[in-house]
Amino acid sequence: MHLDLRRVGGLAVMIAGIALGAWVVFGAPHDWHGAKALGRAAVGLGAVAMISGSAGLIFPGAHRDGPGGGDEDM
């Protein structure tokens, strides 16, 4: 049950990140200048971080399971 809740939470974070990113691209006022424009860029980066971070919630431990993901000697 814990894994299911984690995946549902990851999906919720991903949807929120996509919605926030879509608002930044299509809905945020494009006549913002100065600090507001930097704030819009920061919100956009936050949306990308939300989408990227949700993968860790949806697929826990996947970075260790894949080929070349461990501490293998070459």
Side-chain angles (χ1 to χ4, degrees):
M1 183 70 179
H2 177 69
L3 182 61
D4 293 336
L5 287 175
R6 186 176 173 128
R7 287 186 174 168
V8 168
L11 187 61
V13 170
M14 180 180 288
I15 291 171
I18 290 171
L20 185 61
W23 177 78
V24 167
V25 171
F26 298 115
H30 291 282
D31 60 346
W32 286 354
H33 299 290
K36 288 184 181 179
L38 290 175
R40 186 178 63 218
V43 170
L45 288 174
V48 171
M50 287 173 68
I51 295 168
S52 299
S54 68
L57 292 172
I58 296 172
F59 305 109
H63 64 280
R64 287 180 249 128
D65 296 339
D71 294 333
E72 300 171 351
D73 292 332
M74 296 181 117

